[in-house]
Amino acid sequence: MTRNLTIDNLNVLVYGNASEMGVAASNLVAKNLNEAIRDRESANLILATGASQFSFLKALRECEIDWQKVTVFHLDEYQGISDSHPASFRKYLKDRILDHVDPKQVHFLNGDAENPDDEILRYTNLLKEHPIDVACIGIGENGHLAFNDPPVADFEDSHLVKLVALDEACRNQQLGEGWFRTFEEVPERALTLTIPAIMSSKSISCVVPDQRKANAVYSALNGEISTACPASILRTHPKATLFLDSDSASQIGR
């Protein structure tokens, strides 16, 4: 670790590279999951997706966790794509971690559900039945959390899950990360956990590597706590840690 600072309530840890950052985040997540398992014989976990999570998920697979006592949720899914689509977050999680660790139960958010309202209700009820112990998230290039882009983010949202329109910056990020061949292929809408759903987690681990995230990190840490940068709300959580590498942290002190 090269730097450790606290901004409001948020603990910020900076590492030399994405690999070191991912290992550190996985160790903290494993610790929090194991504490929940010790206390009540089970744990509930939210996992994020995207290129930013590669090193973290690789390291998490190697942690000592009794996965047979862990129930897994995820943050979001594009509307209208199947779980076999190369960009599907369900496929991403199966390929990168879930098929390797065999959790007790996995509850996927089905973006291709025939009736989105029914799917939102189903997932909302599951979240209410399984209070989240650890939420593993990232920050988008536009400052989003999950698919809560600035135009739709709501810190006081009455919903836990909703269908949202994706803004242009968000869709360009998905294209830039290589999940789609053209901008037109990127879905315009997605199902997502809301800001209150994420913030209700007992602990939050936010993993954000790469230079392309440096502006969003700066805004999240230095700007007003506002939906103009949805990630800024993390500064109000009592047990949240932001993991950065040297690139994503490069503008913190500008």
Side-chain angles (χ1 to χ4, degrees), residues 70-92:
V70 179
T71 297
V72 179
F73 294 82
H74 65 132
L75 282 173
D76 44 29
E77 181 60 283
Y78 298 109
Q79 184 182 29
I81 65 172
S82 72
D83 60 3
S84 62
H85 190 288
S88 166
F89 296 140
R90 289 163 287 173
K91 175 176 169 53
Y92 173 110

Side-chain angles (χ1 to χ4, degrees), residues 139-180:
I139 296 175
E141 292 175 26
N142 62 357
H144 72 209
L145 297 181
F147 274 137
N148 296 282
D149 293 329
V152 299
D154 182 355
F155 294 164
E156 306 296 330
D157 207 311
S158 61
H159 301 284
L160 296 180
V161 186
K162 66 182 180 181
L163 181 64
V164 297
L166 306 181
D167 73 9
E168 185 174 338
C170 175
R171 293 177 69 207
N172 272 315
Q173 177 182 329
Q174 311 313 312
L175 176 64
E177 290 187 3
W179 306 114
F180 299 92

Side-chain angles (χ1 to χ4, degrees), residues 22 87 113 127 130 138 142 157 162 168 190 193-194 217:
L127 288 168
H130 298 81
N142 62 357
D157 207 311
K162 66 182 180 181
E168 185 174 338
L193 270 61
T194 62
V217 168

Side-chain angles (χ1 to χ4, degrees), residues 13 16 26 31 33 35 42 48 52 63 69 73 96 98 104 110 120-121 150 163 167 197 199 214 222 228 241:
L13 305 178
S26 71
K31 173 179 176 291
L33 288 175
E35 286 178 356
S42 66
S52 65
C63 289
K69 295 180 179 178
F73 294 82
R96 294 196 171 271
L98 297 178
K104 172 185 176 182
N110 298 309
I120 287 169
L121 179 60
L163 181 64
D167 73 9
M199 293 293 287
N222 294 280
T241 303

Side-chain angles (χ1 to χ4, degrees), residues 153-224:
D154 182 355
F155 294 164
E156 306 296 330
D157 207 311
S158 61
H159 301 284
L160 296 180
V161 186
K162 66 182 180 181
L163 181 64
V164 297
L166 306 181
D167 73 9
E168 185 174 338
C170 175
R171 293 177 69 207
N172 272 315
Q173 177 182 329
Q174 311 313 312
L175 176 64
E177 290 187 3
W179 306 114
F180 299 92
R181 292 173 298 178
T182 66
F183 180 78
E184 289 70 29
E185 288 183 6
V186 183
E188 296 182 359
R189 301 203 296 178
L191 295 173
T192 184
L193 270 61
T194 62
I195 299 289
I198 296 167
M199 293 293 287
S200 70
S201 303
K202 294 174 186 173
S203 67
I204 296 176
S205 169
C206 187
V207 172
V208 189
D210 300 335
Q211 184 67 42
R212 62 195 173 87
K213 301 290 184 74
N215 283 332
V217 168
Y218 175 84
S219 296
L221 298 181
N222 294 280
E224 294 182 4

